[in-house]
């Protein structure tokens, strides 16, 4: 049964002011909305209406999911804003993404560079790990649900499923990375072999291959440089390895060389 804008407007109350219906996403109904008392502004939210159980999640499951995601507080995750029920169907309000999606970036630039690909994988993996620690899976991950914001990424569409299949997130991410690699002008061969092997393992995790943990995945990723600047999202998890730029590495090398020279001076002086 489809929910009308009039029905949903009453149900959402102060959570969102509905503007218009949007093209659906599978069995989901989508509506553009804005914050209450922001009548002069454009759409800033999306209201997602799920099918009735058992085809869709219960209102209680959506409430628990939203609470878990918000409790995680990771800056790389666009947490749902409100949830409720109308005519037995659960609805949830998502913030509308405003940045450039990865799908758009890949289409416009013919893929991503090696460093950008590694950086994307690392940032998404950190955000997923934060979700998984709360017992929540993304479940609706696509290249269009990830936006590039400054030096990091933000995951959207967290209200479109109630999935707890964390292994499915890693498999989906692996498939997405294979798609990016196949479209990149630089070609697959320029990626470090360790990354290529990791992506291949991710696509089969929990099916024909063994399960992978976030620690295993990040352990591989942190061996490789990704971009010139450590993203704020990397610092949230207290992990900045693998992100040193050339000037930082040069400084460390010179400091190490200076240390060696000092030791040699003392040794020669003692003789």
């Amino acid at each position: 049964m489809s929910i009308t804008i009039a029905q949903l407007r009453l149900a959402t109350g102060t959570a969102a002011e509905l503007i218009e219906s949007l093209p659906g996403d599978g069995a989901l109904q989508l509506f553009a909305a804005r914050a209450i008392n922001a009548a002069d502004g454009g759409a800033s939210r999306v209201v997602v209406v799920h099918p009735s159980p058992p085809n869709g999640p219960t209102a209680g499951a959506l409430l628990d999911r939203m609470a878990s995601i918000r409790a995680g507080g990771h800056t790389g995750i666009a947490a749902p804003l409100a949830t409720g029920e109308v005519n037995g169907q659960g609805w949830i309000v998502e913030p509308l993404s405003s940045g450039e999606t990865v799908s758009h970036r890949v289409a416009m630039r013919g893929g991503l560079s090696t460093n950008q690909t590694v950086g994307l994988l690392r940032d998404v993996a950190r955000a997923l790990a934060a979700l998984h620690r709360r017992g929540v899976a993304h479940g609706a991950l696509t290249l269009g649900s990830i936006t590039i914001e400054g030096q990091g990424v933000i995951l959207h569409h967290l209200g479109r499923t109630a999935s707890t299949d964390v292994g499915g997130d890693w498999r989906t991410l692996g498939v997405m990375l294979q798609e990016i690699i196949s479209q990149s002008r630089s070609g697959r061969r320029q990626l470090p072999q360790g990354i290529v092997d990791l992506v291949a393992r991710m696509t089969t995790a929990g099916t024909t291959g063994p399960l992978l943990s976030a620690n295993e995945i990040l352990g591989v990723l942190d061996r490789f440089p990704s971009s010139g600047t450590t993203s704020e999202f990397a610092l949230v998890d207290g992990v900045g390895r693998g992100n040193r730029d050339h000037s930082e590495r040069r400084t460390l090398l010179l400091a190490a060389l200076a240390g060696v020279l000092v030791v040699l001076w003392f040794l020669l002086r003692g003789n």
Side-chain angles (χ1 to χ4, degrees), residues 30-49:
L30 306 180
F31 298 84
R34 59 190 162 218
I36 299 297
N37 301 324
D40 294 333
S44 60
R45 303 176 177 189
V46 175
V47 180
V48 180
V49 181

Side-chain angles (χ1 to χ4, degrees), residues 4 20 47 60 78 84 109 182:
T4 66
E20 60 182 352
V47 180
R109 302 190 182 186
S182 68

Side-chain angles (χ1 to χ4, degrees), residues 7-271:
Q7 292 172 312
L8 191 58
R9 184 170 286 127
L10 291 174
T12 54
T14 59
E17 181 179 348
L18 270 70
I19 300 174
E20 60 182 352
S21 61
L22 298 171
D25 182 1
L28 303 176
Q29 285 184 266
L30 306 180
F31 298 84
R34 59 190 162 218
I36 299 297
N37 301 324
D40 294 333
S44 60
R45 303 176 177 189
V46 175
V47 180
V48 180
V49 181
H50 288 265
S52 301
N55 296 321
T58 65
L62 289 178
L63 180 62
D64 290 344
R65 178 179 177 84
M66 183 182 73
S68 295
I69 293 171
R70 296 182 69 169
H74 194 282
T75 53
I77 295 171
L81 303 170
T83 187
E85 183 180 2
V86 56
N87 292 352
Q89 294 179 241
W91 56 264
I92 193 163
V93 181
E94 301 174 339
L96 183 66
S97 59
S98 58
E100 181 185 20
T101 64
V102 173
S103 57
H104 183 269
R105 173 74 62 91
V106 170
M108 292 295 100
R109 302 190 182 186
L112 300 177
S113 69
T114 297
N115 283 352
Q116 288 171 334
T117 301
V118 176
L120 172 69
L121 178 54
R122 179 184 283 115
D123 282 343
V124 174
R126 285 196 177 102
L128 288 178
L131 281 176
H132 296 172
R133 285 195 293 270
R134 306 295 306 182
V136 175
H138 188 294
L141 200 63
T142 65
L143 293 179
S145 70
I146 306 171
T147 59
I148 301 169
E149 310 276 350
Q151 294 296 327
V153 301
I154 295 180
L155 307 189
H156 295 268
H157 299 179
L158 271 299
R160 306 197 182 193
T161 178
S163 174
T164 57
D165 179 15
V166 298
D169 279 349
W170 297 129
R171 290 191 296 274
T172 299
L173 182 56
V175 172
M176 286 166 46
L177 263 293
Q178 285 187 331
E179 180 182 345
I180 291 175
I181 293 169
S182 68
Q183 294 185 44
S184 297
R185 297 190 190 98
S186 58
R188 182 187 181 102
R189 289 175 296 177
Q190 293 196 18
L191 277 175
Q193 188 59 46
I195 299 295
V196 174
D197 293 341
L198 174 63
V199 170
R201 290 174 59 200
M202 289 169 63
T203 60
T204 62
T207 55
T208 58
L211 286 170
L212 286 174
S213 69
N215 285 340
E216 288 180 273
I217 293 170
L218 290 171
V220 174
L221 293 175
D222 285 332
R223 301 173 195 163
F224 301 97
S226 58
S227 61
T229 306
T230 300
S231 75
E232 61 183 285
F233 308 118
L235 298 177
V236 167
D237 287 340
V239 182
R241 295 174 296 165
N243 281 314
R244 290 194 174 105
D245 62 20
H246 295 297
S247 61
E248 185 180 358
R249 289 196 295 270
R250 189 183 305 113
T251 300
L252 291 173
L253 181 59
L254 290 174
L257 180 58
V260 171
L261 292 175
V262 169
V263 171
L264 288 175
W265 182 80
F266 275 107
L267 290 174
L268 292 174
R269 184 181 179 188
N271 291 334

